[in-house]
Amino acid sequence: QVQLVESGGGLVQPGGSLRLSCAASGFTLEDYAIAWFRQDPGKEREGVSCISASGVSTRYADSVKGRFTISRDNAKYTVYLQMNSLKPEDTAVYYCAAAVSLCSRMPNEYDYWGQGTQVTVSS
């Protein structure tokens, strides 16, 4: 059974940090690029970051560059998103997704999705 399960979301004050985790099972993680997307109610789903299958290449949306870091540990079947210097506009449901090919900003090009985890940044 293929599964992606996000965890680590919660309520944090502006300027704070969170680390999201995406635990994978049921497929060969090292063959897949993994992306993080986010979506607030009434808004389009936005690509946040992506890491290649090898872990060598990473990509970030301009809005999070310099604040967020994506990484993966294939031995632990887990991908992480470290989020620092959080802003209220980072508030959203965050999803991880897996693609057998290259990283893409298009959600419909991903094969597997997690259920999402809520991140709320508020003072």
Side-chain angles (χ1 to χ4, degrees), residues 96-119:
C96 64
V100 73
S101 57
L102 300 177
C103 289
S104 173
R105 291 184 293 176
M106 299 293 101
N108 62 5
E109 295 185 5
Y110 287 82
D111 300 298
Y112 308 125
W113 289 84
Q115 82 290 342
T117 185
Q118 177 71 49
V119 172

PDB file of all heavy atoms in Angstrom, residues 96-119:
ATOM      1  N   CYS A  96       2.849  16.823   0.989  1.00  0.00           N
ATOM      2  CA  CYS A  96       3.967  16.274   0.247  1.00  0.00           C
ATOM      3  C   CYS A  96       3.438  15.394  -0.871  1.00  0.00           C
ATOM      4  O   CYS A  96       2.342  14.827  -0.785  1.00  0.00           O
ATOM      5  CB  CYS A  96       4.952  15.509   1.136  1.00  0.00           C
ATOM      6  SG  CYS A  96       4.324  14.022   1.941  1.00  0.00           S
ATOM      7  N   ALA A  97       4.210  15.305  -1.949  1.00  0.00           N
ATOM      8  CA  ALA A  97       3.802  14.573  -3.136  1.00  0.00           C
ATOM      9  C   ALA A  97       5.024  13.951  -3.797  1.00  0.00           C
ATOM     10  O   ALA A  97       6.123  14.496  -3.726  1.00  0.00           O
ATOM     11  CB  ALA A  97       3.087  15.503  -4.119  1.00  0.00           C
ATOM     12  N   ALA A  98       4.814  12.811  -4.467  1.00  0.00           N
ATOM     13  CA  ALA A  98       5.896  12.056  -5.095  1.00  0.00           C
ATOM     14  C   ALA A  98       5.663  11.935  -6.589  1.00  0.00           C
ATOM     15  O   ALA A  98       4.542  11.652  -7.030  1.00  0.00           O
ATOM     16  CB  ALA A  98       6.011  10.668  -4.472  1.00  0.00           C
ATOM     17  N   ALA A  99       6.726  12.129  -7.364  1.00  0.00           N
ATOM     18  CA  ALA A  99       6.686  11.978  -8.812  1.00  0.00           C
ATOM     19  C   ALA A  99       7.824  11.077  -9.264  1.00  0.00           C
ATOM     20  O   ALA A  99       8.962  11.258  -8.822  1.00  0.00           O
ATOM     21  CB  ALA A  99       6.787  13.336  -9.503  1.00  0.00           C
ATOM     22  N   VAL A 100       7.524  10.136 -10.150  1.00  0.00           N
ATOM     23  CA  VAL A 100       8.552   9.210 -10.626  1.00  0.00           C
ATOM     24  C   VAL A 100       9.534   9.910 -11.561  1.00  0.00           C
ATOM     25  O   VAL A 100      10.635   9.419 -11.789  1.00  0.00           O
ATOM     26  CB  VAL A 100       7.911   7.978 -11.303  1.00  0.00           C
ATOM     27  CG1 VAL A 100       7.334   8.346 -12.668  1.00  0.00           C
ATOM     28  CG2 VAL A 100       8.910   6.842 -11.412  1.00  0.00           C
ATOM     29  N   SER A 101       9.149  11.053 -12.102  1.00  0.00           N
ATOM     30  CA  SER A 101      10.001  11.807 -13.004  1.00  0.00           C
ATOM     31  C   SER A 101      10.604  13.006 -12.278  1.00  0.00           C
ATOM     32  O   SER A 101      10.847  12.968 -11.079  1.00  0.00           O
ATOM     33  CB  SER A 101       9.216  12.244 -14.246  1.00  0.00           C
ATOM     34  OG  SER A 101       8.083  13.000 -13.896  1.00  0.00           O
ATOM     35  N   LEU A 102      10.834  14.095 -13.004  1.00  0.00           N
ATOM     36  CA  LEU A 102      11.474  15.268 -12.446  1.00  0.00           C
ATOM     37  C   LEU A 102      10.504  16.117 -11.642  1.00  0.00           C
ATOM     38  O   LEU A 102       9.282  15.988 -11.755  1.00  0.00           O
ATOM     39  CB  LEU A 102      12.083  16.111 -13.570  1.00  0.00           C
ATOM     40  CG  LEU A 102      13.143  15.435 -14.427  1.00  0.00           C
ATOM     41  CD1 LEU A 102      13.586  16.375 -15.542  1.00  0.00           C
ATOM     42  CD2 LEU A 102      14.324  14.994 -13.586  1.00  0.00           C
ATOM     43  N   CYS A 103      11.044  17.006 -10.832  1.00  0.00           N
ATOM     44  CA  CYS A 103      10.233  17.965 -10.097  1.00  0.00           C
ATOM     45  C   CYS A 103       9.411  18.821 -11.048  1.00  0.00           C
ATOM     46  O   CYS A 103       9.868  19.204 -12.125  1.00  0.00           O
ATOM     47  CB  CYS A 103      11.120  18.875  -9.253  1.00  0.00           C
ATOM     48  SG  CYS A 103      11.888  18.079  -7.827  1.00  0.00           S
ATOM     49  N   SER A 104       8.192  19.140 -10.638  1.00  0.00           N
ATOM     50  CA  SER A 104       7.283  19.958 -11.422  1.00  0.00           C
ATOM     51  C   SER A 104       6.492  20.866 -10.503  1.00  0.00           C
ATOM     52  O   SER A 104       6.239  20.519  -9.347  1.00  0.00           O
ATOM     53  CB  SER A 104       6.324  19.085 -12.235  1.00  0.00           C
ATOM     54  OG  SER A 104       5.339  19.866 -12.882  1.00  0.00           O
ATOM     55  N   ARG A 105       6.092  22.033 -11.015  1.00  0.00           N
ATOM     56  CA  ARG A 105       5.199  22.922 -10.274  1.00  0.00           C
ATOM     57  C   ARG A 105       3.738  22.564 -10.466  1.00  0.00           C
ATOM     58  O   ARG A 105       2.873  23.144  -9.803  1.00  0.00           O
ATOM     59  CB  ARG A 105       5.431  24.375 -10.686  1.00  0.00           C
ATOM     60  CG  ARG A 105       6.774  24.940 -10.245  1.00  0.00           C
ATOM     61  CD  ARG A 105       6.896  26.408 -10.612  1.00  0.00           C
ATOM     62  NE  ARG A 105       6.939  26.612 -12.044  1.00  0.00           N
ATOM     63  CZ  ARG A 105       6.970  27.795 -12.636  1.00  0.00           C
ATOM     64  NH1 ARG A 105       6.957  28.904 -11.901  1.00  0.00           N
ATOM     65  NH2 ARG A 105       7.026  27.884 -13.955  1.00  0.00           N
ATOM     66  N   MET A 106       3.448  21.615 -11.350  1.00  0.00           N
ATOM     67  CA  MET A 106       2.075  21.245 -11.660  1.00  0.00           C
ATOM     68  C   MET A 106       1.622  20.097 -10.766  1.00  0.00           C
ATOM     69  O   MET A 106       2.163  18.986 -10.846  1.00  0.00           O
ATOM     70  CB  MET A 106       1.947  20.830 -13.123  1.00  0.00           C
ATOM     71  CG  MET A 106       2.305  21.936 -14.110  1.00  0.00           C
ATOM     72  SD  MET A 106       1.123  23.305 -14.071  1.00  0.00           S
ATOM     73  CE  MET A 106       2.029  24.507 -13.088  1.00  0.00           C
ATOM     74  N   PRO A 107       0.617  20.317  -9.919  1.00  0.00           N
ATOM     75  CA  PRO A 107       0.170  19.251  -9.016  1.00  0.00           C
ATOM     76  C   PRO A 107      -0.270  17.976  -9.718  1.00  0.00           C
ATOM     77  O   PRO A 107      -0.071  16.884  -9.174  1.00  0.00           O
ATOM     78  CB  PRO A 107      -1.004  19.901  -8.270  1.00  0.00           C
ATOM     79  CG  PRO A 107      -0.711  21.359  -8.311  1.00  0.00           C
ATOM     80  CD  PRO A 107      -0.064  21.590  -9.649  1.00  0.00           C
ATOM     81  N   ASN A 108      -0.848  18.093 -10.922  1.00  0.00           N
ATOM     82  CA  ASN A 108      -1.364  16.907 -11.597  1.00  0.00           C
ATOM     83  C   ASN A 108      -0.285  16.009 -12.166  1.00  0.00           C
ATOM     84  O   ASN A 108      -0.593  14.945 -12.705  1.00  0.00           O
ATOM     85  CB  ASN A 108      -2.370  17.287 -12.689  1.00  0.00           C
ATOM     86  CG  ASN A 108      -1.768  18.139 -13.787  1.00  0.00           C
ATOM     87  OD1 ASN A 108      -0.568  18.399 -13.810  1.00  0.00           O
ATOM     88  ND2 ASN A 108      -2.609  18.572 -14.713  1.00  0.00           N
ATOM     89  N   GLU A 109       0.961  16.387 -12.050  1.00  0.00           N
ATOM     90  CA  GLU A 109       2.059  15.554 -12.517  1.00  0.00           C
ATOM     91  C   GLU A 109       2.634  14.668 -11.411  1.00  0.00           C
ATOM     92  O   GLU A 109       3.579  13.921 -11.664  1.00  0.00           O
ATOM     93  CB  GLU A 109       3.156  16.413 -13.132  1.00  0.00           C
ATOM     94  CG  GLU A 109       2.697  17.134 -14.394  1.00  0.00           C
ATOM     95  CD  GLU A 109       3.804  17.892 -15.093  1.00  0.00           C
ATOM     96  OE1 GLU A 109       4.974  17.799 -14.652  1.00  0.00           O
ATOM     97  OE2 GLU A 109       3.507  18.576 -16.088  1.00  0.00           O
ATOM     98  N   TYR A 110       2.058  14.719 -10.232  1.00  0.00           N
ATOM     99  CA  TYR A 110       2.519  13.898  -9.113  1.00  0.00           C
ATOM    100  C   TYR A 110       1.645  12.670  -8.942  1.00  0.00           C
ATOM    101  O   TYR A 110       0.419  12.735  -9.099  1.00  0.00           O
ATOM    102  CB  TYR A 110       2.585  14.730  -7.828  1.00  0.00           C
ATOM    103  CG  TYR A 110       3.746  15.677  -7.866  1.00  0.00           C
ATOM    104  CD1 TYR A 110       3.654  16.885  -8.534  1.00  0.00           C
ATOM    105  CD2 TYR A 110       4.960  15.341  -7.273  1.00  0.00           C
ATOM    106  CE1 TYR A 110       4.743  17.743  -8.619  1.00  0.00           C
ATOM    107  CE2 TYR A 110       6.047  16.193  -7.341  1.00  0.00           C
ATOM    108  CZ  TYR A 110       5.933  17.391  -8.025  1.00  0.00           C
ATOM    109  OH  TYR A 110       7.021  18.233  -8.099  1.00  0.00           O
ATOM    110  N   ASP A 111       2.274  11.552  -8.617  1.00  0.00           N
ATOM    111  CA  ASP A 111       1.599  10.264  -8.557  1.00  0.00           C
ATOM    112  C   ASP A 111       0.942   9.990  -7.208  1.00  0.00           C
ATOM    113  O   ASP A 111      -0.127   9.382  -7.149  1.00  0.00           O
ATOM    114  CB  ASP A 111       2.601   9.147  -8.859  1.00  0.00           C
ATOM    115  CG  ASP A 111       3.228   9.285 -10.229  1.00  0.00           C
ATOM    116  OD1 ASP A 111       2.486   9.228 -11.223  1.00  0.00           O
ATOM    117  OD2 ASP A 111       4.474   9.451 -10.293  1.00  0.00           O
ATOM    118  N   TYR A 112       1.586  10.403  -6.128  1.00  0.00           N
ATOM    119  CA  TYR A 112       1.114  10.107  -4.779  1.00  0.00           C
ATOM    120  C   TYR A 112       1.090  11.371  -3.946  1.00  0.00           C
ATOM    121  O   TYR A 112       1.956  12.240  -4.077  1.00  0.00           O
ATOM    122  CB  TYR A 112       2.013   9.070  -4.100  1.00  0.00           C
ATOM    123  CG  TYR A 112       2.247   7.824  -4.906  1.00  0.00           C
ATOM    124  CD1 TYR A 112       3.537   7.401  -5.200  1.00  0.00           C
ATOM    125  CD2 TYR A 112       1.180   7.061  -5.369  1.00  0.00           C
ATOM    126  CE1 TYR A 112       3.764   6.255  -5.938  1.00  0.00           C
ATOM    127  CE2 TYR A 112       1.393   5.915  -6.113  1.00  0.00           C
ATOM    128  CZ  TYR A 112       2.683   5.520  -6.396  1.00  0.00           C
ATOM    129  OH  TYR A 112       2.907   4.382  -7.133  1.00  0.00           O
ATOM    130  N   TRP A 113       0.100  11.454  -3.050  1.00  0.00           N
ATOM    131  CA  TRP A 113      -0.084  12.610  -2.172  1.00  0.00           C
ATOM    132  C   TRP A 113      -0.358  12.183  -0.750  1.00  0.00           C
ATOM    133  O   TRP A 113      -1.009  11.160  -0.509  1.00  0.00           O
ATOM    134  CB  TRP A 113      -1.264  13.464  -2.651  1.00  0.00           C
ATOM    135  CG  TRP A 113      -1.003  14.202  -3.914  1.00  0.00           C
ATOM    136  CD1 TRP A 113      -1.132  13.727  -5.186  1.00  0.00           C
ATOM    137  CD2 TRP A 113      -0.589  15.565  -4.031  1.00  0.00           C
ATOM    138  NE1 TRP A 113      -0.810  14.715  -6.089  1.00  0.00           N
ATOM    139  CE2 TRP A 113      -0.476  15.844  -5.400  1.00  0.00           C
ATOM    140  CE3 TRP A 113      -0.305  16.566  -3.104  1.00  0.00           C
ATOM    141  CZ2 TRP A 113      -0.089  17.094  -5.878  1.00  0.00           C
ATOM    142  CZ3 TRP A 113       0.078  17.808  -3.572  1.00  0.00           C
ATOM    143  CH2 TRP A 113       0.179  18.056  -4.952  1.00  0.00           C
ATOM    144  N   GLY A 114       0.122  12.980   0.187  1.00  0.00           N
ATOM    145  CA  GLY A 114      -0.264  12.819   1.572  1.00  0.00           C
ATOM    146  C   GLY A 114      -1.566  13.536   1.873  1.00  0.00           C
ATOM    147  O   GLY A 114      -2.163  14.181   1.001  1.00  0.00           O
ATOM    148  N   GLN A 115      -2.009  13.434   3.116  1.00  0.00           N
ATOM    149  CA  GLN A 115      -3.297  14.005   3.517  1.00  0.00           C
ATOM    150  C   GLN A 115      -3.204  15.469   3.919  1.00  0.00           C
ATOM    151  O   GLN A 115      -4.229  16.137   4.050  1.00  0.00           O
ATOM    152  CB  GLN A 115      -3.882  13.190   4.675  1.00  0.00           C
ATOM    153  CG  GLN A 115      -3.346  13.529   6.060  1.00  0.00           C
ATOM    154  CD  GLN A 115      -1.893  13.116   6.277  1.00  0.00           C
ATOM    155  OE1 GLN A 115      -1.347  12.287   5.556  1.00  0.00           O
ATOM    156  NE2 GLN A 115      -1.267  13.711   7.300  1.00  0.00           N
ATOM    157  N   GLY A 116      -2.004  15.976   4.134  1.00  0.00           N
ATOM    158  CA  GLY A 116      -1.795  17.360   4.500  1.00  0.00           C
ATOM    159  C   GLY A 116      -1.666  17.573   5.994  1.00  0.00           C
ATOM    160  O   GLY A 116      -2.196  16.815   6.801  1.00  0.00           O
ATOM    161  N   THR A 117      -0.943  18.632   6.355  1.00  0.00           N
ATOM    162  CA  THR A 117      -0.813  19.040   7.746  1.00  0.00           C
ATOM    163  C   THR A 117      -0.934  20.560   7.822  1.00  0.00           C
ATOM    164  O   THR A 117      -0.367  21.277   7.000  1.00  0.00           O
ATOM    165  CB  THR A 117       0.519  18.545   8.356  1.00  0.00           C
ATOM    166  OG1 THR A 117       0.561  18.853   9.753  1.00  0.00           O
ATOM    167  CG2 THR A 117       1.727  19.160   7.665  1.00  0.00           C
ATOM    168  N   GLN A 118      -1.686  21.043   8.801  1.00  0.00           N
ATOM    169  CA  GLN A 118      -1.983  22.467   8.911  1.00  0.00           C
ATOM    170  C   GLN A 118      -0.831  23.207   9.574  1.00  0.00           C
ATOM    171  O   GLN A 118      -0.349  22.814  10.641  1.00  0.00           O
ATOM    172  CB  GLN A 118      -3.260  22.685   9.723  1.00  0.00           C
ATOM    173  CG  GLN A 118      -3.609  24.151   9.965  1.00  0.00           C
ATOM    174  CD  GLN A 118      -4.073  24.854   8.709  1.00  0.00           C
ATOM    175  OE1 GLN A 118      -4.932  24.341   7.991  1.00  0.00           O
ATOM    176  NE2 GLN A 118      -3.503  26.029   8.439  1.00  0.00           N
ATOM    177  N   VAL A 119      -0.409  24.307   8.946  1.00  0.00           N
ATOM    178  CA  VAL A 119       0.561  25.233   9.528  1.00  0.00           C
ATOM    179  C   VAL A 119      -0.124  26.586   9.671  1.00  0.00           C
ATOM    180  O   VAL A 119      -0.631  27.136   8.695  1.00  0.00           O
ATOM    181  CB  VAL A 119       1.820  25.367   8.659  1.00  0.00           C
ATOM    182  CG1 VAL A 119       2.728  26.475   9.183  1.00  0.00           C
ATOM    183  CG2 VAL A 119       2.569  24.044   8.612  1.00  0.00           C
TER     184      VAL A 119
END
